[in-house]
Amino acid sequence: LKVSQPKLIKAVASVVKPSYCNLKNGEVKVDILNGFSPYTYSWKTSTDALVQTSSGKTALSDTCKGVWTNEIFTVQVVDKNGCMVSTMVQVPNVSNFSLTGLQLETVHCPGDSTASLEVFTINGYAPFSYKWSHDATIKDSIAVGLPAGLYTAEVTDNKGCVVKYDFDSVTDAKPLTVTVLETPEIICKGGTGNLSAKANGTTAPFTYKWYSNEGVLLSQMQQYSNVSAGVYKVMATDKYGCESSLVPYTFEEPTMI
């Protein structure tokens, strides 16, 4: 009498669906050869945590859903006679969802809240939901009315993938300053000369106002002409209405020869 040995039970694990964005949405499968039904399938993580088990199955395959990346899953199969086989499988991540951003507007005047930012999605699944670090009530891709500071946009796509984008720092506007030049200076005592103002620090075009020391408006030109010796004040205003401080200037005449 010849007694034949049963064929060894074999198992092959494969990825049915990769995980998207490192979420628990991947799917793996095991197919077996030989053995005797029914079978018990047990899926575990690399730390031996049980993910899924099913017993009394006659099918020569089993599927485990809701698996994730950066983890090695082991499936153990035991047939009716207690014969056991195990194999491993790892789920790849296929997410290429990312963000980029752009500063649409700057801070116009020191301390103002005029900057605006926009975040753009690259790949991912629409529709997208938006969240901003400075104001959770903003649900749009654009944030406006911003002062100088640091900002982060968080975007979630339709599959639950969450990506963040850190913008470069929004800088405050430079102060508007004014310098005064004598063009030309007073040559003779009792004569006149010209004063010219030059604005620096913000956005052209600039407008100017010249005042007497007592506060009387004298000129609204960049160059104040035919000016006698005395104390004058000048201020500048830029494209956005930012104003400089009132700058005093003493226009001196030469001493008598």
Side-chain angles (χ1 to χ4, degrees):
L1 179 63
K2 184 178 180 180
V3 178
S4 59
Q5 291 284 342
K7 294 182 179 180
L8 292 174
I9 185 171
K10 297 180 180 180
V12 177
S14 59
V15 176
V16 178
K17 184 177 72 173
S19 171
Y20 175 70
C21 194
N22 295 317
L23 300 173
K24 293 183 177 182
N25 54 14
E27 185 176 333
V28 289
K29 178 184 179 183
V30 65
D31 293 288
I32 60 172
L33 295 173
N34 308 320
F36 297 90
S37 65
Y39 303 93
T40 297
Y41 298 89
S42 300
W43 295 87
K44 295 182 179 182
T45 66
S46 58
T47 59
D48 209 35
L50 183 64
V51 178
Q52 175 182 297
T53 186
S54 53
S55 58
K57 295 191 66 173
T58 58
L60 296 176
S61 66
D62 188 58
T63 299
C64 183
K65 298 180 179 180
V67 295
W68 56 96
T69 57
N70 301 319
E71 181 61 86
I72 297 174
F73 295 90
T74 299
V75 56
Q76 183 184 81
V77 184
V78 181
D79 75 355
K80 171 184 177 181
N81 296 329
C83 297
M84 181 182 69
V85 66
S86 63
T87 188
M88 295 182 297
V89 64
Q90 187 169 13
V91 182
N93 175 37
V94 295
S95 172
N96 58 354
F97 178 33
S98 62
L99 305 174
T100 187
L102 179 67
Q103 182 169 335
L104 304 177
E105 192 59 80
T106 61
V107 176
H108 296 163
C109 304
D112 278 0
S113 298
T114 55
S116 59
L117 301 171
E118 184 171 9
V119 64
F120 302 91
T121 59
I122 302 172
N123 302 313
Y125 294 86
F128 302 97
S129 61
Y130 300 86
K131 182 180 178 181
W132 290 83
S133 57
H134 69 290
D135 187 349
T137 65
I138 301 175
K139 305 298 182 182
D140 195 23
S141 61
I142 299 177
V144 299
L146 306 177
L150 296 172
Y151 298 91
T152 298
E154 180 181 287
V155 183
T156 305
D157 77 354
N158 195 41
K159 290 186 177 290
C161 186
V162 180
V163 183
K164 293 184 178 182
Y165 183 83
D166 295 320
F167 286 86
D168 291 337
S169 177
V170 174
T171 57
D172 204 359
K174 294 180 180 179
L176 177 57
T177 60
V178 181
T179 55
V180 178
L181 302 173
E182 298 181 7
T183 57
E185 62 186 7
I186 299 174
I187 299 175
C188 300
K189 186 173 179 63
T192 62
N194 297 334
L195 295 176
S196 182
K198 183 180 180 181
N200 301 280
T202 54
T203 308
F206 303 100
T207 59
Y208 300 87
K209 289 182 180 180
W210 292 90
Y211 296 90
S212 68
N213 194 39
E214 292 74 27
V216 178
L217 179 62
L218 302 172
S219 173
Q220 297 188 64
M221 303 296 292
Q222 183 176 4
Q223 179 169 288
Y224 180 29
S225 303
N226 300 317
V227 184
S228 301
V231 178
Y232 300 91
K233 297 177 181 179
V234 64
M235 67 177 296
T237 304
D238 75 358
K239 172 183 177 180
Y240 296 109
C242 306
E243 295 182 341
S244 72
S245 59
L246 202 58
V247 178
Y249 187 81
T250 301
F251 198 18
E252 298 180 343
E253 62 182 359
T255 57
M256 185 74 72
I257 297 176

